[in-house]
């Protein structure tokens, strides 16, 4: 019924030819799905998102987006590439990288302008997007002088302004206060309700239940050790523990030492 | 002995940190740009053009007295724009060595925007100074530099950095050049912050940086590492631009609206310049 957005087939990728980052990944993502990619640090989550965004290309295997193979720029027909970029938006892990314009306003406008949206419409959109992410008061600030949470909102705004069909989020909630995390999760859930496909890389298990229906767990061998519904993955404690996603929690409790796993879905006893 | 070397490196460290802080503050703070004042109220394009006209006049005039008049005008403008004159003076004096280089830079710009006879005149002015090391020349040089620096500092103090970049774009400087400048600026900021952080981090780990070998190697390693990070970052920034549809020809917004006041000011500025040029010829 639903059509395929991404098809990742036996993808291998290594940085500079010697630092392996992905080893044999297979994933199929359909339109309108909510996907989470979880894994410890350095398991290749960011690398996968950059592959999906057509910024880097596999050493081996291939990535298909909207039925077409993603190929290096030189082989990528310029028009197809432009269309692809309009449909897929990536919110980078490092907002400092993502924001490169002299003012927040210009950073938000950058995307739409590249796609030839008329200046008047770009201005309207900038204001609209700023309102959604509650950053109207930051529009004239210099992006790299903002706080991490503010930068993250601006980064999301800069992608939202393009209005892509597919959102790739790389650690959208890392290092943010609970209220900001809440806003970002709400944003993701709303976008999905509007039919957007959402792919999020994270190691924050607390948010997975809300932002994903399907979860892929990346292991230390830089491949997928498990994929399935978010409930089934979150309930598999030994899997999560062996992949560094939860840890034992030791504390004193009514006079006795007490050890338990730190798991997100259950209330703390 | 140990004590002495310790003191010295402490001094170096302190002066380095304060230099960094100054650099950041001087170039990045938009405190004065956000104040209400005469220059702040002008359309950035008109302000830039008029101050550039003064600058060109200052570097072309051959009379220290006439340039001195421009310098006075500059101080009046600073007053009218609620820039505290004493700090302004200190800043410009500190920047003089840096800007001595920038005066030679227009040679470079004439490649970018050819066809303006004023540019080549200015280049002649500088080479004239280099070959005439008399006292007169030296005085002229200092007055000229001080005036030019003051004008440039005044412009950068009273204009938001994002507007300044926009003006460059509007004045026909190629967009890719403007984008490069804006990124250099960004990296400068990140670089300054990084070096600051590294100092703090090393200090917290090792205690006093200079007394231990380990501390020194950490510093060396971190400097190399910072460089690596900066180059890697520029690759990643390129990716971020690609991701948002950049195709090698950036398209950016530009929106300004000029008021009658801006035109009046520009006219006044040009009359002043013409007057000075004329007196320069007569004298
Ligand atoms: N620029 C690079 N050069 C060399 N190796 C790299 C580079 N970027 C990533 N790697 C390596 O690739 C592997 C995967 O990195 P990646 O950034 O995709 O991990 P990640 O799952 O996103 O980690 P994190 O949770 O820390 O963000 C790591 O082992 C890392 O060391
Ligand atoms: Mg990552």
């Amino acid at each position: 019924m639903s059509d395929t957005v991404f098809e990742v087939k036996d993808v291998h990728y290594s940085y500079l030819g010697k630092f392996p980052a992905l080893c044999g990944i297979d994933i199929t993502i359909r339109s309108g799905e909510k996907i989470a990619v979880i894994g410890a640090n350095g398991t290749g989550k960011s690398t996968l998102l950059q592959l999906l965004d057509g910024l880097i290309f596999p050493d081996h295997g291939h990535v298909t987006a909207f039925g077409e193979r993603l190929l290096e720029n030189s082989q990528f027909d310029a028009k197809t590439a432009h269309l692809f970029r309009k449909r897929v938006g990536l919110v980078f892990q490092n907002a400092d990288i993502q924001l490169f314009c002299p003012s927040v306003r210009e950073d938000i406008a950058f995307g739409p302008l590249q796609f030839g949206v008329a200046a008047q419409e770009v201005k309207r959109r900038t204001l609209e997007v700023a309102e959604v992410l509650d950053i109207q008061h930051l529009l004239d600030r210099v992006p790299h002088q903002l706080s991490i949470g503010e930068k993250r909102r601006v980064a999301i705004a800069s992608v939202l302004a393009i209005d892509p069909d597919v959102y790739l989020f790389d650690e959208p909630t890392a290092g943010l206060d609970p209220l900001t995390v809440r806003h970002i999760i709400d944003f993701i859930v709303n976008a999905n309700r509007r039919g957007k496909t959402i792919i999020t890389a994270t190691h924050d298990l607390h948010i997975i239940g809300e932002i994903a229906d399907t979860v892929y767990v990346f292991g230390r061998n830089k491949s997928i050790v498990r994929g399935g519904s978010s409930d089934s993955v979150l309930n598999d404690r030994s899997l999560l523990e062996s992949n560094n996603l939860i840890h034992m929690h030791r504390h004193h409790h009514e006079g006795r030492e007490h050890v338990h796993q730190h798991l997100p879905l259950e209330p703390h006893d | 002995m140990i004590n002495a070397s310790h003191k010295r490196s402490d001094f170096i460290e302190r002066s380095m940190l304060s230099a960094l802080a100054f650099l950041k503050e001087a170039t990045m703070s938009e405190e004065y740009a956000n104040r209400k004042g005469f220059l702040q109220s002008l359309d950035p394009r008109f302000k830039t053009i008029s101050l550039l006209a003064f600058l060109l006049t200052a570097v072309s005039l051959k009379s220290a007295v006439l340039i001195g008049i421009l310098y006075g005008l500059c101080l009046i403008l600073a007053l009218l724009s609620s820039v505290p004159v004493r700090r302004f003076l200190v800043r410009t004096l500190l920047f003089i060595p840096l800007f001595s280089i920038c005066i030679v830079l227009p040679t470079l710009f004439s490649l970018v925007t050819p066809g303006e006879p004023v540019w080549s005149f200015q280049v002649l002015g500088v080479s004239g100074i280099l070959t005439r090391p008399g006292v007169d020349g030296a005085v002229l040089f200092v007055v000229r530099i001080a005036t030019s620096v003051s004008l440039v500092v005044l412009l950068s103090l009273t204009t938001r950095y994002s507007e300044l970049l926009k003006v460059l774009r509007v004045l026909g400087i190629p967009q890719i050049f403007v984008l490069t400048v804006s990124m250099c600026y960004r990296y400068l900021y990140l670089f300054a912050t990084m070096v600051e952080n590294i100092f703090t981090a090393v200090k917290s780990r090792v205690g006093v940086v200079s007394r231990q070998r380990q501390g020194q190697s950490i510093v060396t390693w971190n400097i190399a590492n910072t460089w690596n990070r900066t180059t890697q970052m520029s690759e990643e920034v390129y990716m971020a631009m690609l991701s948002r549809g950049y195709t090698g020809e950036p398209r950016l917004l530009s929106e300004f609206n000029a008021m009658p006041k801006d035109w009046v000011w520009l006219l006044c500025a040009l009359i002043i310049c013409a007057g000075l040029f004329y007196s320069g010829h007569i004298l």
Side-chain angles (χ1 to χ4, degrees):
Chain A
M1 191 197 102
S2 47
D3 39 354
T4 307
V5 175
F6 285 116
E7 197 166 8
V8 179
K9 270 254 147 64
D10 191 30
V11 160
H12 291 250
Y13 184 85
S14 59
Y15 285 93
L16 312 167
K18 55 182 176 184
F19 303 113
L22 290 175
C23 302
I25 303 290
D26 288 283
I27 298 181
T28 303
I29 295 165
R30 285 175 224 292
S31 176
E33 280 188 322
K34 277 192 292 184
I35 309 275
V37 178
I38 63 176
N41 291 128
T43 46
K45 304 181 296 292
S46 300
T47 309
L48 176 70
L49 292 190
Q50 291 182 5
L51 276 162
L52 293 180
D53 200 29
L55 297 172
I56 54 179
F57 301 90
D59 303 334
H60 182 82
H62 63 259
V63 180
T64 311
F66 309 107
E68 281 192 62
R69 281 275 286 274
L70 289 186
L71 296 167
E72 296 272 359
N73 261 337
S74 52
Q75 307 164 42
F76 218 5
D77 160 36
K79 243 173 112 187
T80 321
H82 216 55
L83 196 68
F84 171 76
R85 304 244 172 264
K86 169 78 193 67
R87 298 184 72 179
V88 182
L90 168 61
V91 178
F92 283 70
Q93 180 166 7
N94 182 350
D96 261 325
I97 301 281
Q98 177 137 24
L99 305 174
F100 45 79
C101 291
S103 71
V104 169
R105 191 187 295 279
E106 283 175 89
D107 240 318
I108 297 176
F110 185 88
L113 284 172
Q114 306 317 301
F115 294 110
V117 177
Q120 213 52 44
E121 166 66 9
V122 171
K123 277 182 215 163
R124 193 195 62 74
R125 230 189 252 190
T126 305
L127 294 180
E128 183 185 293
V129 165
E131 200 184 321
V132 171
L133 285 147
D134 196 19
I135 48 171
Q136 298 103 315
H137 57 295
L138 301 176
L139 282 175
D140 289 311
R141 295 278 300 273
V142 181
H144 56 264
Q145 292 173 353
L146 302 177
S147 83
I148 294 183
E150 291 167 338
K151 276 183 205 163
R152 190 69 49 86
R153 285 167 191 257
V154 175
I156 294 176
S158 73
V159 173
L160 175 62
I162 300 172
D163 191 30
D165 301 331
V166 181
Y167 283 88
L168 308 171
F169 288 101
D170 199 347
E171 309 270 4
T173 58
L176 304 185
D177 69 61
L179 190 63
T180 311
V181 168
R182 189 69 251 156
H183 280 152
I184 289 178
I185 293 176
D186 288 346
F187 174 82
I188 292 178
V189 171
N190 277 330
N192 183 250
R193 289 217 186 99
R194 287 185 288 126
K196 308 294 182 186
T197 309
I198 310 283
I199 304 162
T200 312
T202 184
H203 35 222
D204 190 354
L205 298 182
H206 301 250
I207 65 171
I208 285 180
E210 288 186 80
I211 58 155
D213 299 324
T214 309
V215 177
Y216 292 94
V217 182
F218 277 49
R220 250 162 295 193
N221 55 356
K222 311 197 191 243
S223 63
I224 297 175
V225 291
R226 169 89 188 261
S229 76
S230 48
D231 287 344
S232 71
V233 171
L234 286 176
N235 286 326
D236 191 342
R237 291 164 181 239
S238 64
L239 170 82
L240 296 178
E241 200 181 330
S242 65
N243 282 292
N244 272 358
L245 287 161
I246 46 175
H247 55 93
M248 297 306 274
H249 201 66
R250 181 190 301 271
H251 57 176
H252 285 283
H253 205 57
E254 287 164 8
R256 66 200 162 91
E257 183 131 293
H258 163 112
V259 179
H260 67 90
Q261 280 170 329
H262 208 105
L263 205 73
L265 289 184
E266 288 171 7
H268 208 267
D269 57 358
Chain B
M1 187 66 215
I2 288 173
N3 210 356
S5 81
H6 173 207
K7 254 192 194 142
R8 195 179 57 225
S9 68
D10 210 41
F11 168 75
I12 294 175
E13 183 188 324
R14 249 188 302 129
S15 48
M16 211 175 129
L17 284 181
S18 65
L20 276 177
F22 175 76
L23 187 75
K24 262 170 83 171
E25 199 245 8
T27 50
M28 324 283 168
S29 115
E30 300 199 325
E31 187 193 336
Y32 301 115
N34 291 328
R35 287 193 185 179
K36 292 220 179 321
F38 175 66
L39 286 176
Q40 289 89 337
S41 73
L42 292 172
D43 180 313
R45 287 171 303 176
F46 287 73
K47 174 169 49 176
T48 310
I49 293 175
S50 59
L51 292 181
L52 278 181
F54 287 148
L55 181 71
L56 287 181
T57 315
V59 293
S60 342
L61 284 175
K62 296 213 164 53
S63 145
V65 178
L66 290 179
I67 299 178
I69 293 177
L70 269 179
Y71 191 62
L73 182 68
C74 191
L75 293 183
I76 292 172
L77 282 175
L79 266 177
L80 290 179
S81 311
S82 50
V83 175
V85 172
R86 242 184 67 194
R87 290 200 66 186
F88 179 67
L89 285 175
V90 172
R91 265 187 193 197
T92 46
L93 291 180
L94 280 167
F95 267 102
I96 284 181
L98 189 77
F99 277 86
S100 321
I101 301 165
C102 290
I103 301 302
V104 189
L105 259 181
T107 347
L108 202 150
F109 284 113
S110 65
L111 292 176
V112 185
T113 41
E116 290 205 33
V118 201
W119 291 112
S120 60
F121 193 69
Q122 181 190 349
V123 177
L124 279 182
V126 168
S127 59
I129 286 155
L130 290 178
T131 53
R132 194 183 44 197
V135 181
D136 273 3
V139 170
L140 185 62
F141 183 76
V142 170
V143 177
R144 189 178 280 168
I145 294 287
T147 310
S148 322
V149 169
S150 305
L151 286 165
V152 172
V153 170
L154 196 58
L155 177 64
S156 64
L157 274 182
T158 58
T159 317
R160 288 191 133 112
Y161 148 79
S162 54
E163 283 177 339
L164 209 56
L165 287 176
K166 260 197 237 162
V167 171
L168 287 182
R169 235 144 50 205
V170 173
L171 294 182
I173 313 280
Q175 296 205 330
I176 192 69
F177 178 78
V178 177
L179 209 65
T180 315
V181 169
S182 92
M183 293 210 177
C184 288
Y185 173 92
R186 215 177 73 98
Y187 289 136
L188 198 70
Y189 182 84
L190 285 183
F191 194 80
T193 315
M194 249 189 246
V195 174
E196 260 175 13
N197 290 344
I198 286 166
F199 258 104
T200 326
V202 171
K203 266 195 105 162
S204 71
R205 245 183 297 177
V206 192
V208 182
V209 175
S210 56
R211 254 197 300 196
Q212 295 178 23
R213 268 246 151 117
Q214 196 197 353
Q216 277 172 0
S217 69
I218 291 179
V219 172
T220 333
W221 182 81
N222 264 304
I223 289 171
N225 189 35
T226 304
W227 173 249
N228 267 340
R229 269 193 268 175
T230 338
T231 47
Q232 196 193 324
M233 208 160 69
S234 61
E235 268 170 44
E236 286 176 283
V237 168
Y238 180 66
M239 279 194 184
M241 294 172 69
L242 275 184
S243 175
R244 280 197 272 156
Y246 175 72
T247 50
E249 175 60 37
R251 295 174 222 186
L252 307 159
L253 272 185
S254 58
E255 43 184 300
F256 288 122
N257 32 34
M259 316 254 249
K261 176 183 167 194
D262 293 310
W263 288 104
V264 172
W265 163 246
L266 187 64
L267 196 69
C268 290
L270 292 180
I271 290 174
I272 294 172
C273 290
L276 286 171
F277 264 119
Y278 184 70
S279 334
H281 260 291
I282 292 195
L283 283 177

